[in-house]
Amino acid sequence: MEATDSFHLYSFFASSCCQRIIIAAHLKSIPLTFSFIDLGAKQHLDDEYRDSLNPSRSVPTLVVTGPDGGRRAVIRQSVSILEYLEERFPEPSPLLPPRGDHERRALVRDFVNIITTDVAPPTNSRITQRVKAVRGALDDQLEFARACFTDGLRAYEALLGETRDEAATGGFTVGEAVTMADVCLVPTVDQAFMYKMDISFVPRVKKLYESLKAMPAFQAADWRRQPDTPEKFRVQE
């Protein structure tokens, strides 16, 4: 890693997409500095944030600054950020199998896309709030989100059943180390818990989540432990 580069993350404590980046940065020992965008206060809708950083008006946004103080990159989607960090800093803690292992790399991406394509977009608060707004009914929002989590987690569970070697000793989605799939799974399960879901219907996912959640990088990224987490939500250490 170029020691003079800096990595600045625009983040929000309850964003599962931001949690993905924080997990990966901890695993790869990449120091992050932060600006916090309060989605509840609609700071992401500010013209300055939209025009200068993220036209999607979302988080995370990663700004990479070079040794001359100029921007090397602004990356605005969590999977793009994960791919960037992995390509630029494959060690330590590679998040994809070796380049020649095409099949397992594709498998990791299958798991990643179950979460980032099938589950995360419809359970994003932008969408669930619109569902609620149709009839002004909170129950509509809750039922819709829970159905999306249920469908996605069942798909993840089924794929684990097909591909996970039950003799494997580690608690990981693919192989014997953390991959990008794990980095994406844990924050989404945390989001499901925000909706008061019981995930015992996916026992493999539940066991996997509990194993990963015990690791320091996943604990450090927990939404209840972020600097901008309101006191009422914080973990009491």
Side-chain angles (χ1 to χ4, degrees), residues 115-137:
I115 299 298
T116 64
T117 301
D118 295 346
V119 180
T123 58
N124 183 285
S125 61
R126 288 185 182 183
I127 303 304
T128 61
Q129 289 292 334
R130 289 175 180 175
V131 172
K132 175 184 174 183
V134 173
R135 299 191 306 176

Side-chain angles (χ1 to χ4, degrees), residues 154-220:
R154 279 181 172 157
Y156 206 102
E157 177 84 359
L159 191 55
L160 280 175
E162 293 177 14
T163 62
R164 182 67 185 155
D165 182 356
E166 295 299 334
T169 58
F172 308 106
T173 298
V174 177
E176 295 296 332
V178 173
T179 65
M180 204 175 293
D182 303 308
V183 169
C184 293
L185 173 66
V186 167
T188 291
V189 174
D190 282 339
Q191 293 284 92
F193 288 153
M194 290 182 186
Y195 279 90
K196 311 296 184 185
M197 290 190 66
D198 176 358
I199 65 166
S200 58
F201 67 95
V202 282
R204 292 185 182 89
V205 169
K206 185 174 185 291
K207 182 178 180 181
L208 178 57
Y209 169 84
E210 291 170 349
S211 175
L212 293 166
K213 197 70 172 179
M215 298 178 65
F218 291 86
Q219 292 179 5

